[in-house]
Amino acid sequence: SDPDAKIMLTTMGYFENSKLKGYLTSEEEEGYKILSNSANGTYISVKCDDKNYATIRIKKSKVKEKLSFKENTPFVNINTKVEGRLIEYNCKADFLKNKKYIKKLENKASKKVKKLSLKVIDKLYIKNKSDALKYGEKFYSFKTKELKELNIKESDIKNNISFDIDSNVKIERIGLTIKSIKEVSQSE
């Protein structure tokens, strides 16, 4: 039988040294999922005109990271590639006849992915000095020699790390219904 009450978790917590450090907003959580390669099935909504949105369901995402040093401080270059399916489109433009609309949506979605990623990095690394995404740990594991040469301690990595993020979203159009539920109900 069904239980009388169901529990729904709505925020994601992050930890530092096995202690709860704080919580992420839903947008920060989306950014976290993207950067941790666990975004498959996540939805991204982008404006497709002044009042309406298009929704993309992430089918596959891959993050490539390059660890280096910029001005003698740890630097991470992140390249995110996302493939998604357009599952909702509430705007008037008939994008099937004109591929420039798909390209515009891909560009808007790419900017949104970058914004979400920067938002979670800002919260974790800039504001809270947390290494929840393990970039400090990765530097310590893979760049130990350079850290010693620059006299950077493991505990200082997360305090001085900087990031550059590029994102590229590719939309698949297979199986999309053009008219939204809103349009169909208004025409009846």
Side-chain angles (χ1 to χ4, degrees):
S1 73
D2 286 335
D4 293 336
K6 294 181 182 179
I7 297 174
M8 187 169 113
L9 302 176
T10 57
T11 57
M12 180 178 176
Y14 60 97
F15 293 81
E16 187 77 25
N17 298 323
S18 301
K19 293 181 183 174
L20 180 65
K21 181 110 177 190
Y23 295 95
L24 301 177
T25 66
S26 60
E27 280 193 335
E28 292 162 345
E29 182 180 351
E30 289 172 17
Y32 183 90
K33 286 179 180 179
I34 291 165
L35 292 175
S36 63
N37 279 320
S38 59
N40 296 0
T42 300
Y43 297 90
I44 298 173
S45 292
V46 293
K47 272 193 160 188
C48 50
D49 65 24
D50 291 339
K51 298 178 183 176
N52 297 299
Y53 285 84
T55 303
I56 300 161
R57 183 176 188 268
I58 296 176
K59 178 183 166 189
K60 185 166 80 173
S61 71
K62 181 69 178 157
V63 174
K64 289 187 179 179
E65 312 160 336
K66 183 178 178 191
L67 306 177
S68 63
F69 294 89
K70 190 174 187 177
E71 299 176 11
N72 295 329
T73 59
F75 179 77
V76 184
N77 185 301
I78 299 170
N79 191 332
T80 306
K81 291 188 178 189
V82 174
E83 289 180 25
R85 178 169 285 168
L86 188 57
I87 61 166
E88 185 177 10
Y89 187 80
N90 293 316
C91 297
K92 299 291 181 198
D94 187 359
F95 64 88
L96 289 177
K97 294 179 182 165
N98 191 338
K99 291 186 180 185
K100 75 177 184 176
Y101 290 110
I102 288 291
K103 192 68 182 156
K104 279 185 179 180
L105 280 176
E106 288 174 340
N107 289 337
K108 287 181 179 185
S110 294
K111 287 177 184 174
K112 178 87 179 244
V113 166
K114 182 175 181 171
K115 178 185 168 192
L116 294 170
S117 300
L118 287 170
K119 197 168 197 165
V120 73
I121 283 172
D122 182 61
K123 171 112 177 218
L124 295 175
Y125 287 89
I126 310 302
K127 292 179 181 166
N128 294 311
K129 306 298 183 196
S130 170
D131 193 27
L133 286 164
K134 305 293 184 202
Y135 291 114
E137 192 175 296
K138 290 173 188 177
F139 262 96
Y140 189 72
S141 296
F142 301 115
K143 300 286 186 180
T144 307
K145 181 181 174 188
E146 293 93 329
L147 290 169
K148 284 181 183 177
E149 288 173 3
L150 294 169
N151 201 24
I152 299 173
K153 296 179 181 138
E154 180 182 9
S155 59
D156 294 334
I157 298 170
K158 66 184 174 191
N159 297 328
N160 298 310
I161 197 166
S162 60
F163 297 86
D164 183 45
I165 299 175
D166 291 314
S167 63
N168 184 3
V169 175
K170 179 75 177 146
I171 296 174
E172 298 176 356
R173 295 178 281 176
I174 302 168
L176 176 68
T177 303
I178 303 301
K179 285 190 173 183
S180 69
I181 294 170
K182 183 169 78 174
E183 269 185 31
V184 172
S185 63
Q186 288 175 351
S187 66
E188 291 179 347

